[in-house]
Amino acid sequence: MKSIKILENKTITDVPFFKASGIHCGLKKSKKDLCVIYSERKAVAAAAFTRNIVKAAPVLLNMKTIDNNNIQAIVANSGNANACTGDKGYKDAELMAELTAQELNLSSSEVLVASTGVIGEPLPFDKIKTGIKLACDSLSYEGGEDAGKAIMTTDTFLKKLTIEFEIDGKKSMISAIAKGSGMIHPNMGTMLSFIATDANISKSMLNKSLKESVEDSYNMVSVDGDTSTNDMVIVLANGACENELIDSESKNYEAFKTALHFLNIELSKMIAKDGEGATKLLEVIVNHSKTLEDAKICSKAVITSSLVKAAFFGADANWGRILCALGYSGANLNVDAINIFFSNQIGTIQICKNGGNIGFDETLAKNILEEEKITITIDLNDGEYSATAWGCDLTYDYVKINGSYRS
Amino acid sequence: MKSIKILENKTITDVPFFKASGIHCGLKKSKKDLCVIYSERKAVAAAAFTRNIVKAAPVLLNMKTIDNNNIQAIVANSGNANACTGDKGYKDAELMAELTAQELNLSSSEVLVASTGVIGEPLPFDKIKTGIKLACDSLSYEGGEDAGKAIMTTDTFLKKLTIEFEIDGKKSMISAIAKGSGMIHPNMGTMLSFIATDANISKSMLNKSLKESVEDSYNMVSVDGDTSTNDMVIVLANGACENELIDSESKNYEAFKTALHFLNIELSKMIAKDGEGATKLLEVIVNHSKTLEDAKICSKAVITSSLVKAAFFGADANWGRILCALGYSGANLNVDAINIFFSNQIGTIQICKNGGNIGFDETLAKNILEEEKITITIDLNDGEYSATAWGCDLTYDYVKINGSYRS
């Protein structure tokens, strides 16, 4: 996208008037486990929360807080999810907001809260309390990466992206830190994404742009629309760009929404690539579907199939498993019209034609499948809709991590 | 069940007038790969087929054949699924029925066909042809076990069960051989179950009893109602017991249905226990649900969750993952009322009370979880319905088998 520029080595604290910090307070053994993100300017916020009916305390709290007009801070911890912790857990989440607000001279209704980690254990609040003070004292214009590190759990790399785009000739930035999740049913791991922007946009339009983007980005990461107890995406916009306020659908709104969606897609791919134990990023593109819903159902069925994922781990061009997943997905299909292709920088190969065997070059297929990124393109030849989902392979390490991982 | 007796060391060929054979014809390297089951007496048949819209050729053929009044034989091969093989595949399935019928002096409409193995490759028909002749020549009253072996793929043990029960004072038998499937989304492996009985029952009542049983047995084995391209359950009833014909709902029908369901439940457990790479049989019982559908949705969500399955592999009493799976299942729940228990011959332990932590004895939990069979009882305290699902843990070997397994 020519109008969107990726700014390497920048992070959320490079967005004007955003400070952040990430510190260690003892929830994890030695790694950073608590962060604060703070906009010195007043800001509007939008958020998307898990659809799981078992919602962690901070999710329940934020669902109320998010309605407030001014939101300037996020406090988040890893190592403990504060989920399934009852009234005590809810009060703990409230207290996290209050303590952060006190330190930053805000009202507690101006602070959002997030947690990720073990479910069902009470927060060790002494540690949290000390941690919030330390994190607020440590806030700086260089703390973006530290904040990103403090929300990592089984993530093997920090997920962050900063982009620049133009609104009416003015340069605006959007930057995010995110953490990923277990990848077979990632609805059960926790996905957090915190986004900061200096765009000047109304709360309602910010909300609209986020909601639309989430459907085709985070919600297509090997998920079936279901999410964990703690998932959330938060975007704070502080208007420091001083563009004319975006408060309706307009060219400027489209520019912002396009940029935000680009950022969310890239973060979604990073999350998929870093699925627990993953060695490969899989992208499933379904084209020419009868309906948009069918296209989504198909792409998700393939990306969540454990047999398909295990086949990619083994670099096995097993189109039968893909066809089988399509067949049980529940989507409306004309099986005899389906073509399937694998592609990446090595090349493109058709492995299924008209729902049957095509006798492809097994060596080329193997070479494509041994790469770290593979695009599976499924042409249903049955309509005009498309959808894309992202996921990863299923590996020994997934089992290792989830057969023993506890925090 | 006092009226149902398990007959150890008996198999389908111990049911009067049933012969069977299992031979090697070269579809697999050296193991048996083709079987025939044959009732010397006229018989009625009922069957349940995969709901996958990608249906293998033998499934499509049987869906027509099953309407015939007299069906006396089943011919089945492993090593090749004859799925996604187009018109040629369908003709091959027809030819399998015809060749078997010729050998047995039947009409081809009196023979059902089944295949399991690789998808998308044409049947090597020369081998099949030689195999059918050999299998028909080898039919005997001792061939039941050989037939069972000939349908095994990644199965590590032969699944078979024979029971005896009474209809109006007469002893009747039901016996089955079955094969299992990959266990994360077993809808993608192939499940075959062939059942023989000497009960005298009408085709319509046989069909009714099978359909009702399948819903709560095979369809609850870690499946969400979806199935592979080749799944099928077939029951042949040849009436040799000479009880008064069961042709309506009656005490005798109930006796037959109860016996058939008992057999199907036991086979379902064997299939779950022998899931690919599995080390543990998991049974998920959901009680006190608002609706039967919610109870089924809940039990299936838990048994299919990879994170839950991996936790059981690691003997990790991770009730949070169970609660999380319930939360995203889509079922109507009162989270704060949920209690969760683990049990087996070691003992029973409550690990979650009112949707929260109960501070259980971790050592006892570990001891229970290290056994080969674990029952997870989830009390929703919210209604009167129950459902049970079966599955297995997720292990390194699952990944190993499915990351390289090709036939």
Side-chain angles (χ1 to χ4, degrees):
Chain A
M1 310 208 183
K2 70 177 179 359
S3 57
I4 295 171
K5 189 174 153 192
I6 292 174
L7 303 180
E8 303 288 350
N9 304 318
K10 299 284 184 185
T11 180
I12 47 171
T13 41
D14 291 298
V15 181
F17 297 94
F18 275 96
K19 286 184 167 180
S21 61
I23 57 92
H24 169 72
C25 71
L27 301 169
K28 292 198 279 199
K29 269 182 201 157
S30 60
K31 290 181 180 172
K32 292 181 195 300
D33 50 20
L34 193 140
C35 77
V36 170
I37 299 168
Y38 170 56
S39 169
E40 293 179 305
R41 280 175 64 115
K42 288 196 175 296
V44 292
F49 301 111
T50 179
R51 292 177 193 157
N52 195 313
I53 63 173
V54 180
K55 289 179 170 63
V59 173
L60 294 170
L61 176 63
N62 288 354
M63 287 170 76
K64 293 183 184 173
T65 309
I66 196 67
D67 288 337
N68 297 313
N69 280 326
N70 186 56
I71 290 176
Q72 284 181 247
I74 302 168
V75 56
N77 73 276
S78 55
N80 184 311
N82 194 12
C84 305
T85 43
D87 294 340
K88 169 74 165 56
Y90 190 80
K91 281 182 189 127
D92 283 348
E94 282 182 322
L95 204 51
M96 283 177 71
E98 273 168 39
L99 291 172
T100 308
Q102 278 168 25
E103 295 292 328
L104 302 175
N105 286 318
L106 298 172
S107 143
S108 62
S109 68
E110 294 169 318
V111 180
L112 294 169
V113 182
S115 297
T116 177
V118 180
I119 294 178
E121 295 184 9
L123 278 183
F125 212 84
D126 286 351
K127 291 177 182 172
I128 295 276
K129 193 173 174 179
T130 314
I132 289 175
K133 173 124 190 32
L134 178 59
C136 289
D137 288 347
S138 311
L139 282 169
S140 79
Y141 294 125
E142 288 80 40
E145 286 229 2
D146 284 347
K149 286 176 187 161
I151 55 171
M152 288 168 71
T153 56
T154 47
D155 304 72
T156 66
F157 62 85
L158 175 64
K159 288 145 200 85
K160 61 170 191 129
L161 187 67
T162 304
I163 58 171
E164 187 181 83
F165 68 108
E166 288 196 3
I167 309 179
D168 257 352
K170 283 177 193 285
K171 284 183 179 166
S172 176
M173 283 171 75
I174 310 180
S175 181
I177 53 172
K179 76 164 292 289
S181 58
M183 272 297 121
I184 290 193
H185 286 291
N187 37 7
M188 299 184 72
T190 291
M191 196 277 300
L192 297 178
S193 181
F194 302 145
I195 308 167
T197 179
D198 60 356
N200 188 21
I201 182 167
S202 71
K203 187 173 177 71
S204 67
M205 295 312 287
L206 185 66
N207 187 52
K208 184 175 161 67
S209 64
L210 181 66
K211 291 295 184 327
E212 288 178 9
S213 174
V214 162
E215 281 305 309
D216 294 322
S217 55
Y218 305 105
N219 283 353
M220 294 300 283
V221 180
S222 186
V223 188
D224 45 27
D226 302 314
T227 46
S228 95
T229 53
N230 291 58
D231 288 357
M232 64 175 84
V233 180
I234 298 172
V235 50
L236 299 186
N238 68 10
C241 173
E242 299 200 329
N243 57 288
E244 192 185 343
L245 180 70
I246 300 170
D247 59 358
S248 64
E249 302 220 20
S250 63
K251 203 177 108 241
N252 289 347
Y253 173 72
E254 285 304 317
F256 176 78
K257 188 182 133 178
T258 303
L260 178 66
H261 192 52
F262 173 83
L263 176 108
N264 286 336
I265 293 275
E266 292 305 309
L267 286 167
S268 297
K269 288 188 203 171
M270 290 181 210
I271 290 167
K273 184 179 165 61
D274 198 25
E276 285 170 350
T279 67
K280 291 170 190 180
L281 169 63
L282 307 178
E283 178 175 63
V284 177
I285 301 174
V286 171
N287 289 326
H288 299 114
S289 175
K290 267 204 189 78
T291 68
L292 178 59
E293 198 193 351
D294 283 335
K296 288 191 172 192
I297 288 170
C298 285
S299 59
K300 286 177 180 177
V302 172
I303 207 74
T304 55
S305 158
S306 294
L307 284 175
V308 170
K309 288 155 68 87
F312 278 100
F313 175 56
D316 174 8
N318 198 315
W319 59 273
R321 291 182 183 177
I322 294 172
L323 213 61
C324 186
L326 294 170
Y328 73 66
S329 69
N332 192 336
L333 297 174
N334 175 6
V335 179
D336 297 335
I338 298 174
N339 294 330
I340 304 176
F341 306 80
F342 293 159
S343 62
N344 55 23
Q345 76 273 22
I346 300 292
T348 296
I349 190 166
Q350 180 165 11
I351 54 152
C352 172
K353 186 175 180 177
N354 299 332
N357 202 337
I358 192 179
F360 53 87
D361 175 347
E362 298 253 1
T363 308
L364 175 58
K366 193 97 185 161
N367 289 340
I368 290 172
L369 294 180
E370 277 171 352
E371 292 295 302
E372 280 186 12
K373 191 198 158 188
I374 301 139
T375 297
I376 301 105
T377 305
I378 298 162
D379 193 333
L380 299 178
N381 281 310
D382 205 23
E384 56 183 309
Y385 292 91
S386 294
T388 304
W390 297 275
C392 60
D393 53 344
L394 173 61
T395 70
Y396 297 122
D397 280 351
Y398 176 87
V399 179
K400 188 172 179 183
I401 291 165
N402 288 298
S404 57
Y405 174 68
R406 284 279 288 170
S407 70
Chain B
M1 312 211 182
K2 70 178 181 355
S3 56
I4 296 171
K5 188 174 154 192
I6 292 174
L7 304 179
E8 304 286 349
N9 304 319
K10 299 283 185 186
T11 181
I12 48 171
T13 40
D14 291 298
V15 181
F17 297 95
F18 275 96
K19 286 184 166 179
S21 60
I23 55 91
H24 170 73
C25 72
L27 300 170
K28 291 197 278 199
K29 270 182 199 157
S30 60
K31 291 181 179 170
K32 293 182 195 300
D33 50 22
L34 193 140
C35 78
V36 170
I37 299 167
Y38 170 55
S39 170
E40 292 179 306
R41 281 174 62 114
K42 286 194 178 296
V44 291
F49 301 112
T50 180
R51 292 176 191 157
N52 195 313
I53 63 174
V54 180
K55 289 180 169 63
V59 173
L60 294 169
L61 176 63
N62 287 356
M63 287 171 75
K64 293 184 186 174
T65 309
I66 195 67
D67 288 336
N68 297 313
N69 281 325
N70 185 57
I71 291 176
Q72 285 180 248
I74 301 168
V75 57
N77 72 275
S78 54
N80 185 311
N82 195 11
C84 306
T85 43
D87 293 341
K88 170 73 165 57
Y90 190 82
K91 282 184 186 122
D92 283 350
E94 282 183 321
L95 204 52
M96 283 176 71
E98 273 168 39
L99 291 171
T100 308
Q102 280 169 23
E103 295 292 329
L104 302 174
N105 287 318
L106 298 172
S107 143
S108 61
S109 67
E110 294 168 318
V111 180
L112 294 169
V113 182
S115 297
T116 177
V118 180
I119 293 178
E121 292 182 12
L123 278 182
F125 212 85
D126 285 353
K127 293 176 182 171
I128 294 277
K129 193 173 175 178
T130 314
I132 288 174
K133 173 124 191 33
L134 177 60
C136 289
D137 288 347
S138 312
L139 282 167
S140 80
Y141 294 124
E142 288 80 39
E145 286 230 1
D146 284 348
K149 286 177 187 162
I151 55 171
M152 288 168 69
T153 54
T154 47
D155 304 73
T156 66
F157 62 85
L158 176 63
K159 287 146 201 85
K160 60 166 192 139
L161 187 68
T162 304
I163 58 172
E164 188 181 83
F165 68 108
E166 287 197 1
I167 309 179
D168 259 352
K170 284 178 191 285
K171 286 185 176 163
S172 175
M173 283 171 74
I174 310 181
S175 181
I177 52 171
K179 75 165 292 291
S181 57
M183 272 296 121
I184 290 193
H185 285 292
N187 37 7
M188 297 187 73
T190 291
M191 195 278 300
L192 297 177
S193 180
F194 303 144
I195 308 167
T197 179
D198 61 355
N200 189 21
I201 182 168
S202 71
K203 186 173 179 72
S204 67
M205 294 314 285
L206 185 65
N207 188 49
K208 184 176 161 68
S209 63
L210 181 66
K211 291 295 182 334
E212 288 178 8
S213 175
V214 162
E215 282 306 310
D216 294 323
S217 55
Y218 306 105
N219 284 353
M220 294 300 284
V221 181
S222 187
V223 188
D224 46 27
D226 303 313
T227 46
S228 96
T229 52
N230 290 58
D231 287 358
M232 64 175 85
V233 180
I234 297 172
V235 50
L236 300 184
N238 70 9
C241 173
E242 299 197 333
N243 56 289
E244 191 186 342
L245 179 69
I246 300 171
D247 59 358
S248 64
E249 301 221 21
S250 62
K251 204 177 106 240
N252 289 346
Y253 172 72
E254 285 305 318
F256 176 78
K257 188 181 133 178
T258 302
L260 178 65
H261 193 52
F262 173 85
L263 176 109
N264 286 338
I265 292 275
E266 292 305 311
L267 286 167
S268 298
K269 289 187 205 173
M270 290 181 210
I271 290 168
K273 186 180 162 62
D274 198 25
E276 285 170 348
T279 67
K280 293 172 188 177
L281 170 62
L282 308 178
E283 179 176 62
V284 177
I285 301 174
V286 171
N287 289 327
H288 299 115
S289 175
K290 267 203 188 77
T291 68
L292 179 60
E293 197 193 352
D294 283 334
K296 288 191 172 192
I297 287 171
C298 285
S299 59
K300 286 177 179 176
V302 172
I303 207 74
T304 55
S305 158
S306 295
L307 284 175
V308 169
K309 290 156 67 90
F312 278 100
F313 174 56
D316 174 7
N318 198 316
W319 59 273
R321 291 180 184 178
I322 295 172
L323 212 61
C324 186
L326 294 170
Y328 72 66
S329 68
N332 193 335
L333 297 175
N334 174 6
V335 178
D336 297 335
I338 298 174
N339 293 330
I340 305 175
F341 307 81
F342 293 159
S343 62
N344 54 25
Q345 77 273 21
I346 300 292
T348 296
I349 190 167
Q350 181 166 10
I351 53 150
C352 171
K353 186 174 181 179
N354 300 332
N357 203 337
I358 192 179
F360 54 87
D361 176 347
E362 298 252 0
T363 309
L364 174 57
K366 192 96 185 163
N367 289 340
I368 290 173
L369 294 180
E370 276 171 354
E371 292 295 302
E372 281 185 10
K373 190 197 158 189
I374 301 140
T375 298
I376 300 104
T377 305
I378 298 162
D379 193 333
L380 299 179
N381 282 310
D382 203 26
E384 56 183 309
Y385 292 91
S386 295
T388 303
W390 297 275
C392 61
D393 54 343
L394 173 61
T395 70
Y396 298 122
D397 280 353
Y398 176 88
V399 179
K400 188 172 179 182
I401 292 165
N402 288 299
S404 58
Y405 174 68
R406 285 279 288 168
S407 71

